[in-house]
């Protein structure tokens, strides 16, 4: 794919934003153009572009490599019919940005405002970015003080509002609602690894021998032997797992059968899947630590549901409009963004315009 644009190196560290060097000429966008309106408040292209470029940098620096592709390839791949990865991520960015403005608009209702220290810190961060970067770099990412200050102001208010918006949920959760059981299980794989590290499927004869081994383990555990010790003797590992009736891993049939046991110590016969065999033993009808942690999870889910519900309520109460022609000017294919470390910046690493 022909790469037309600029490669910007962007550094984000310790809450302070700065940038590395930009190679090549940069196209200019109208940072004052209105890309969206949230009620009567405008979202400028400068703020939207800066937020988008910071997000883009995270994806290109960390995720593209994990996915085994370049940033250019990542953005053009199709995630669903008629929609590229770039389009999907930009949709998410715009929704998040709209939410930031919504939250800011309701901050006074929760008596949330920026402190003088927070305002000073925001100005200092924007000033540092401005002073550390060339005009070319700032044109690429809309890294101007007014845009960065607005971006950081929105994020700071969101951080302060999050707890307020989640307050007041019912924090009482019964053991019955959060109950987590515990099991030990042993997995017998239908494949092995050869000397070259390649995965090799077992022969039918080897699979049959494995079934016999699994049955032997199950029988010995049912006779009162310790599953961990028997597994070790067989060169296998007994894994610990906490679960409830909604759990699906490592195997739904295994979880369902062990969940149906009524007495601790009960053990399954071998349970066969396409990839191997499982033998499971119920070790606890109520794992205290896991149950208490699940209570915390349930309360946090309630808080998040309330947070999301408030956002939906606020969205329904006003009009939100996006100017797609203006938003199209933020193109991840023409402009690449990379996050660099302070060490990389001081080494003067540069990028090339293709």
């Amino acid at each position: 794919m022909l790469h037309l644009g600029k490669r910007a190196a962007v550094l984000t560290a310790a809450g302070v934003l700065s940038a590395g060097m930009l190679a090549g000429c940069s196209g200019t966008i109208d940072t004052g153009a209105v890309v969206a309106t949230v009620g009567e408040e405008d979202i400028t292209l400068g703020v939207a572009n800066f937020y988008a470029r910071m997000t883009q940098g995270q994806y290109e620096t960390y995720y593209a490599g994990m996915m085994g592709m370049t940033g250019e390839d990542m953005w053009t791949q199709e995630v669903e019919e008629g929609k590229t990865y770039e389009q999907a991520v930009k949709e998410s960015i715009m929704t998040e940005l709209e939410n930031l403005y919504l939250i800011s608009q309701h901050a006074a209702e929760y008596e949330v405002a920026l402190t003088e220290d927070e305002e000073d810190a925001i100005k200092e961060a924007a000033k540092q970015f401005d002073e550390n970067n060339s005009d070319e770099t700032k044109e690429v990412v809309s890294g101007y003080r007014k845009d960065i200050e607005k971006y950081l102001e929105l994020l700071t208010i969101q951080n302060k509002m999050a707890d307020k918006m989640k307050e007041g949920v019912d924090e009482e959760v019964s053991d019955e609602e959060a109950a987590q059981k515990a099991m030990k299980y042993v997995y017998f794989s239908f494949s092995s690894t050869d000397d070259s590290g390649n995965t090799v499927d077992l022969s039918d004869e080897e699979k049959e021998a494995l079934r016999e081994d699994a049955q032997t383990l199950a029988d010995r555990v049912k006779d009162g032997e310790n599953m961990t010790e028997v597994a070790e003797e067989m060169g296998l590992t007994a894994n610990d797992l906490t679960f409830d009736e909604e759990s699906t891993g490592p195997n739904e049939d295994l979880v369902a059968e062990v969940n149906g046991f009524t007495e601790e110590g009960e053990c399954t016969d071998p349970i066969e899947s396409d990839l191997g065999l499982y033998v499971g033993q119920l070790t606890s009808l109520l794992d205290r630590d896991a149950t208490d942690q699940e209570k915390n999870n349930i309360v946090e889910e309630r808080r998040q549901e309330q947070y999301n519900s408030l956002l939906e309520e606020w969205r329904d109460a006003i009009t939100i409009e996006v100017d797609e022609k203006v938003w199209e000017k933020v193109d991840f294919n023409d402009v690449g963004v990379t996050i660099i470390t302070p060490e990389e910046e001081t080494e003067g690493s540069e990028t090339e315009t293709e």
Side-chain angles (χ1 to χ4, degrees), residues 31-42:
T31 59
V34 176
V35 68
T37 55
V38 180
E40 298 182 358
E41 190 172 8
D42 294 336

Side-chain angles (χ1 to χ4, degrees), residues 175-183 241-260 282 284-287 290-291 293-295 297-298 301:
D175 277 351
E176 182 180 4
E177 183 178 1
Q180 297 292 298
K181 299 177 182 180
M183 74 162 82
L241 176 73
T242 55
F243 66 98
D244 58 32
E245 60 184 9
E246 296 181 358
S247 300
T248 57
N251 176 272
E252 288 190 52
D253 292 335
L254 170 69
V255 172
E257 186 164 340
V258 177
N259 187 58
L282 179 67
S284 176
L285 284 164
L286 182 70
D287 185 287
T291 298
Q293 180 58 53
E294 183 61 15
K295 287 184 179 183
N297 294 341
I298 291 172
E301 286 173 6

Side-chain angles (χ1 to χ4, degrees), residues 40-172:
E40 298 182 358
E41 190 172 8
D42 294 336
I43 301 178
T44 66
L45 186 56
V47 174
N49 186 46
F50 187 76
Y51 188 21
R53 298 307 180 190
M54 298 303 101
T55 304
Q56 180 187 358
Q58 294 282 341
Y59 275 87
E60 291 198 11
T61 304
Y62 303 116
Y63 303 140
M66 292 171 58
M67 296 166 68
M69 60 181 67
T70 65
E72 293 95 327
D73 291 336
M74 176 177 67
W75 297 126
T76 56
Q77 72 171 335
E78 204 170 58
V79 293
E80 59 182 77
E81 187 174 355
K83 181 181 291 186
T84 65
Y85 199 54
E86 178 196 31
Q87 291 170 326
V89 170
K90 282 186 62 182
E91 284 181 10
S92 175
I93 290 171
M94 182 53 69
T95 299
E96 291 168 3
L97 194 55
E98 293 164 357
N99 287 342
L100 287 175
Y101 276 80
L102 276 171
I103 291 169
S104 178
Q105 290 170 5
H106 287 269
E109 300 168 19
Y110 293 81
E111 299 181 343
V112 169
L114 296 178
T115 66
E116 186 175 338
D117 286 344
E118 289 166 342
E119 290 177 347
D120 290 343
I122 287 170
K123 290 178 181 178
E124 179 58 32
K127 176 174 176 286
Q128 186 169 354
F129 188 102
D130 183 50
E131 293 177 349
N132 290 348
N133 294 278
S134 68
D135 289 341
E136 287 180 317
T137 300
K138 287 179 281 190
E139 283 186 16
V140 169
V141 301
S142 298
Y144 303 108
R145 292 194 189 189
K146 61 181 177 62
D147 297 320
I148 299 174
E149 287 179 7
K150 183 62 177 179
Y151 166 79
L152 295 176
E153 173 190 310
L154 291 167
L155 290 183
T156 304
I157 290 175
Q158 181 199 39
N159 287 337
K160 299 179 73 170
M161 281 283 284
D163 288 341
K164 297 281 187 180
M165 292 168 65
K166 294 176 181 179
E167 285 179 352
V169 302
D170 181 8
E171 298 189 8
E172 291 296 321

Side-chain angles (χ1 to χ4, degrees), residues 96-333:
E96 291 168 3
L97 194 55
E98 293 164 357
N99 287 342
L100 287 175
Y101 276 80
L102 276 171
I103 291 169
S104 178
Q105 290 170 5
H106 287 269
E109 300 168 19
Y110 293 81
E111 299 181 343
V112 169
L114 296 178
T115 66
E116 186 175 338
D117 286 344
E118 289 166 342
E119 290 177 347
D120 290 343
I122 287 170
K123 290 178 181 178
E124 179 58 32
K127 176 174 176 286
Q128 186 169 354
F129 188 102
D130 183 50
E131 293 177 349
N132 290 348
N133 294 278
S134 68
D135 289 341
E136 287 180 317
T137 300
K138 287 179 281 190
E139 283 186 16
V140 169
V141 301
S142 298
Y144 303 108
R145 292 194 189 189
K146 61 181 177 62
D147 297 320
I148 299 174
E149 287 179 7
K150 183 62 177 179
Y151 166 79
L152 295 176
E153 173 190 310
L154 291 167
L155 290 183
T156 304
I157 290 175
Q158 181 199 39
N159 287 337
K160 299 179 73 170
M161 281 283 284
D163 288 341
K164 297 281 187 180
M165 292 168 65
K166 294 176 181 179
E167 285 179 352
V169 302
D170 181 8
E171 298 189 8
E172 291 296 321
V173 182
S174 66
D175 277 351
E176 182 180 4
E177 183 178 1
Q180 297 292 298
K181 299 177 182 180
M183 74 162 82
K184 284 186 181 292
Y185 73 90
V186 177
Y187 177 58
F188 297 79
S189 177
F190 282 158
S191 63
S192 62
T193 305
D194 64 19
D195 295 337
S196 299
N198 300 312
T199 300
V200 180
D201 290 335
L202 301 185
S203 66
D204 289 342
E205 292 78 10
E206 289 171 323
K207 289 181 180 179
E208 189 57 39
L210 206 64
R211 293 185 181 95
E212 293 177 4
D213 288 344
Q215 188 63 61
T216 296
L217 180 138
D219 292 340
R220 291 177 63 178
V221 173
K222 289 180 181 181
D223 286 341
E225 294 190 59
N226 182 282
M227 175 176 276
T228 299
E229 294 176 356
V230 176
E232 289 177 353
E233 180 184 319
M234 302 176 72
L236 300 167
T237 300
N239 303 283
D240 292 301
L241 176 73
T242 55
F243 66 98
D244 58 32
E245 60 184 9
E246 296 181 358
S247 300
T248 57
N251 176 272
E252 288 190 52
D253 292 335
L254 170 69
V255 172
E257 186 164 340
V258 177
N259 187 58
F261 291 156
T262 58
E263 294 185 12
E264 295 175 0
E266 288 188 81
C267 182
T268 71
D269 283 319
I271 297 170
E272 187 162 336
S273 70
D274 292 338
L275 300 178
L277 301 148
Y278 295 88
V279 175
Q281 180 184 34
L282 179 67
T283 56
S284 176
L285 284 164
L286 182 70
D287 185 287
R288 185 74 268 162
D289 290 341
T291 298
D292 288 343
Q293 180 58 53
E294 183 61 15
K295 287 184 179 183
N296 293 334
N297 294 341
I298 291 172
V299 172
E300 186 52 41
E301 286 173 6
R302 291 174 182 173
R303 290 173 177 157
Q304 190 61 47
E305 286 171 2
Q306 178 167 288
Y307 179 92
N308 294 339
S309 178
L310 278 171
L311 280 175
E312 287 302 316
E313 179 184 322
W314 296 343
R315 276 181 168 275
D316 291 342
I318 64 171
T319 300
I320 298 176
E321 296 181 344
V322 178
D323 189 328
E324 296 296 345
K325 289 185 178 180
V326 176
W327 190 218
E328 285 175 2
K329 297 181 183 299
V330 179
D331 189 321
F332 292 171
N333 294 300

